[in-house]
Amino acid sequence: MGNRIPFGEHFAKESKALTAEKLLPRYTVDDYQHWKGDWELWDGHAIAMSPSPFGRHQTVATRLAYAFSSAIDKQNCNAEAIAELDWVVNDRTVVRPDLIVVCGEVPRRHLQSVPGLVAEVLSDPTRQNDLHFKRELYESEGVPTYSVIDPDSAEVTCHRLSGDCYESTCHRETVDVPLCDDCQVKIDVRTIR
């Protein structure tokens, strides 16, 4: 037999070198566009967006979209609040925020430029993703304002870009939000809880 390693021992050594990260398939936007159902694509990894959020999450998200749309109309901003539109960040990342504010012309299909604002409503299944992965993504992509709405605490946390990093403030009543270079809107937090 000489120096031959038994199959089991060889396989054990090889499998230690392989991590789950290396074994997971990596996808692109081209793959993503053919999938059925609700998905996001995070750095090439497929993330299921089902089951859908519960009623409270959806109620808050609807109120949030209405609050931003009304405030934008009131200030006559060159912007549009859009719920659940895919943002194609790059060839390996597509996210679908609860709300985005697009400055200027509304895209005919998916958004492919940095939005003026992204807002996410926290829910138990998405809380960690929204507070960590998405916050880091939005910060690194230069999203000027990332708002996180927590229905449990009735609080809005606004992360505003200052240089390359977000500075965060919490709001329970009203919040002034700068949008699209030339516009600022006031949102009554109490109306979106």
Side-chain angles (χ1 to χ4, degrees):
M1 283 219 179
N3 292 331
R4 292 184 61 196
I5 300 172
F7 176 77
E9 288 179 28
H10 177 71
F11 183 77
K13 284 183 181 181
E14 289 296 316
S15 62
K16 285 181 186 177
L18 296 175
T19 64
E21 178 74 23
K22 292 178 184 175
L23 296 175
L24 289 173
R26 301 286 292 243
Y27 300 101
T28 67
V29 171
D30 291 336
D31 299 317
Y32 170 84
Q33 291 175 344
H34 295 91
W35 296 343
K36 303 237 185 291
D38 288 330
W39 297 88
E40 286 186 334
L41 183 63
W42 296 3
D43 193 30
H45 299 288
I47 305 297
M49 300 299 292
S50 59
S52 69
F54 295 121
R56 181 139 188 246
H57 175 280
Q58 295 304 83
T59 299
V60 171
T62 300
R63 289 178 181 163
L64 179 69
Y66 178 77
F68 268 97
S69 290
S70 298
I72 288 168
D73 289 346
K74 186 176 181 179
Q75 292 299 320
N76 200 27
C77 297
N78 185 20
E80 192 72 42
I82 306 171
E84 299 210 6
L85 179 67
D86 285 356
W87 173 22
V88 179
V89 178
N90 57 47
D91 189 47
R92 293 191 170 274
T93 303
V94 180
V95 291
R96 187 180 303 155
D98 290 318
L99 180 77
I100 58 173
V101 172
V102 175
C103 302
E105 191 174 332
V106 175
R108 296 179 70 86
R109 299 194 71 203
H110 304 302
L111 182 65
Q112 295 185 322
S113 59
V114 176
L117 172 136
V118 172
E120 298 282 6
V121 179
L122 297 180
S123 61
D124 289 338
T126 66
R127 180 175 297 272
Q128 292 306 310
N129 295 339
D130 292 342
L131 294 176
H132 300 288
F133 173 80
K134 286 192 173 180
R135 182 187 186 281
E136 291 173 13
L137 173 68
Y138 301 152
E139 184 177 61
S140 71
E141 291 299 320
V143 175
T145 303
Y146 173 40
S147 294
V148 177
I149 297 81
D150 188 341
D152 294 337
S153 67
E155 187 172 80
V156 173
T157 302
C158 281
H159 305 285
R160 292 193 178 114
L161 208 54
S162 176
D164 292 338
C165 300
Y166 279 141
E167 291 182 1
S168 303
T169 56
C170 295
H171 307 271
R172 289 182 172 269
E173 295 183 9
T174 61
V175 58
D176 291 315
V177 182
L179 297 174
C180 309
D181 296 336
D182 62 346
C183 190
Q184 183 154 323
V185 297
K186 183 182 288 289
I187 303 297
D188 188 341
V189 174
R190 298 164 294 192
T191 66
I192 59 176
R193 299 181 189 163

